[in-house]
Structures are given as structure tokens and as C-alpha cells.
Amino acid sequence: MAPNCSVDHQIVQEYYQLPLSEQKKLNVLKLIDRYWQKINPMLFDNPIQYYTVVAKITDHLLRFLESKEETTLPLFLFKKLDAYIDELESRVSLTFEVVEWFTYSFKIKKFLVEADREMVELYHYLMVVFAKKAFRKIPEQVEVINLLEGKRYTFTPSEEEVQRGILYLTYLKESVQKPDRYSPPSSSKECKQCPFHSKCTHS
């Protein structure tokens, strides 16, 4: 069973709200102890699973929070924004957990308790497209952090990824809304443009 992600988000949010001089390992441990006391161990399959998850989350939160290089407070911290994406004919709301100044632009960090490669790719494209529409600028870097596995996925977006992201999100929207109306591409050129090209089994 995956732990309650809102608990880990509260830990991350409160940590970043601390004065820079207080953003230390001891305070990370205090926050973890405070918020994880609210999680009922009975929600897990057994006590071993509970303590294993707590140990992993603690270790990975310490590593990722302590490794941050920025010496300023975030530009955005758990800020919910919305933007209309014309190509999707939809208004999209997205919470930016941590947005930090970077060399020439900004960096977006997304913390997930657990995620497979497809979910990481979804968040990557979603944040790139949303940032372009909302800020008229793409992020210089996107980080998606898997807290349970301790993996950090780092992307350096380009302008070309905006269109790939829109195509990716369009396919997802259509597959959810009208899965029975999806048909294979009619040409190899169209197939190569598909965001699912590397995973497709279509001959």
C-alpha cells in the first residue's frame, strides 16, 4: 500500500517555509516524526511494511531536501494555478509544489510517493505545456522525485517538447473520453510523431 501523499507534501511544504538557516537534517526528521504519527499503521498490510515505508521515505526525503543547492526561498510553493490550453480545448488546474529560480529561467520540482515511468513522463509533459501556456516560458529544468524508490528524474525541456507534450496529452484525453474510437495511425510518419511510439506494439 502506498502512504498518504498529502503527509509527505506537508513535510516538503513546511520544510521549504522554514528560514534558510533552519533547513537542516534535524528539522526534516522532526517534521517526518510529527506528520507520520498521523498515519495509522493498521492501514498497511503488516507492521513490517509500515516501518519499511517510513524508513524509505525518511531516507529519501533527507537526501533530496538536503541536496538542494538554492540559497533563496522558492518562487512558488504549493501554488495552484489554472490555464486554458487551446489545443486540448480544456482548462487545466495544476499545483506547482516547488518552483525555484534557476540559471536563466526556473526549475519545477514534483514530489511523488511512487510513480512508474509513464506517470513521470505525464508530469514532465504536463508541466512543460502548462508552464508555456501560463508563463509564456518553458522551465529550464523539471525534476520528478519518486520518494518511495528514491529516484530523481531530471529533464531539460526544449521548445520542441511543447508540441510533443500537447500531442501526448491529446492522445491521453481522447483515449480516456473515447477509447472505442481510437484507430491506429494510417502512415509511418504519423506513427513516428506519436508520443507513445517507443512503447507501441502496432506493427
Side-chain angles (χ1 to χ4, degrees):
M1 173 185 170
N4 188 336
C5 63
S6 65
V7 168
D8 298 301
H9 287 169
Q10 288 173 317
I11 294 170
V12 172
Q13 182 173 11
E14 191 161 337
Y15 175 81
Y16 273 93
Q17 289 175 330
L18 291 171
L20 293 174
S21 60
E22 296 298 317
Q23 294 182 8
K24 299 177 180 179
K25 179 184 294 186
L26 178 60
N27 286 326
V28 178
L29 291 171
K30 288 180 179 179
L31 290 171
I32 292 171
D33 182 62
R34 182 199 310 169
Y35 284 107
W36 269 85
Q37 286 183 3
K38 301 176 183 179
I39 300 295
N40 186 350
M42 297 300 293
L43 295 174
F44 293 77
D45 293 339
N46 53 65
I48 294 177
Q49 185 192 46
Y50 170 78
Y51 287 111
T52 299
V53 169
V54 172
K56 287 182 178 180
I57 294 292
T58 299
D59 181 49
H60 300 149
L61 276 173
L62 283 170
R63 189 206 316 170
F64 291 124
L65 291 178
E66 277 204 310
S67 66
K68 77 184 191 73
E69 300 176 356
E70 291 72 15
T71 57
T72 59
L73 295 176
L75 177 63
F76 293 144
L77 185 62
F78 287 84
K79 186 176 182 64
K80 186 176 181 179
L81 301 171
D82 66 282
Y84 187 81
I85 301 178
D86 296 331
E87 294 85 348
L88 299 179
E89 298 181 344
S90 301
R91 180 164 293 278
V92 177
S93 293
L94 186 63
T95 297
F96 285 86
E97 292 167 14
V98 181
V99 178
E100 299 167 323
W101 290 111
F102 207 49
T103 311
Y104 299 106
S105 181
F106 54 93
K107 177 199 295 187
I108 299 174
K109 289 185 178 180
K110 177 70 177 177
F111 290 85
L112 298 172
V113 174
E114 59 182 352
D116 55 19
R117 184 67 193 186
E118 286 72 21
M119 183 176 291
V120 170
E121 194 169 28
L122 169 62
Y123 274 107
H124 162 218
Y125 280 126
L126 184 58
M127 286 186 279
V128 170
V129 172
F130 192 98
K132 181 65 175 180
K133 297 297 182 178
F135 311 137
R136 301 291 185 263
K137 189 175 183 66
I138 62 172
E140 190 168 345
Q141 191 176 95
V142 172
E143 283 186 0
V144 181
I145 296 171
N146 182 329
L147 289 175
L148 199 57
E149 296 183 7
K151 293 182 179 179
R152 185 204 312 261
Y153 301 87
T154 303
F155 304 93
T156 305
S158 63
E159 289 289 341
E160 290 74 19
E161 284 190 55
V162 177
Q163 289 306 314
R164 287 204 296 271
I166 289 172
L167 185 59
Y168 184 97
L169 296 173
T170 299
Y171 270 92
L172 286 181
K173 179 183 176 181
E174 291 178 351
S175 65
V176 169
Q177 291 182 340
K178 302 174 182 177
D180 57 324
R181 294 183 61 180
Y182 173 77
S183 58
S186 57
S187 68
S188 59
K189 180 179 179 181
E190 182 182 352
C191 190
K192 290 179 180 179
Q193 292 175 345
C194 173
F196 302 106
H197 179 69
S198 61
K199 306 177 183 66
C200 187
T201 58
H202 178 57
S203 59

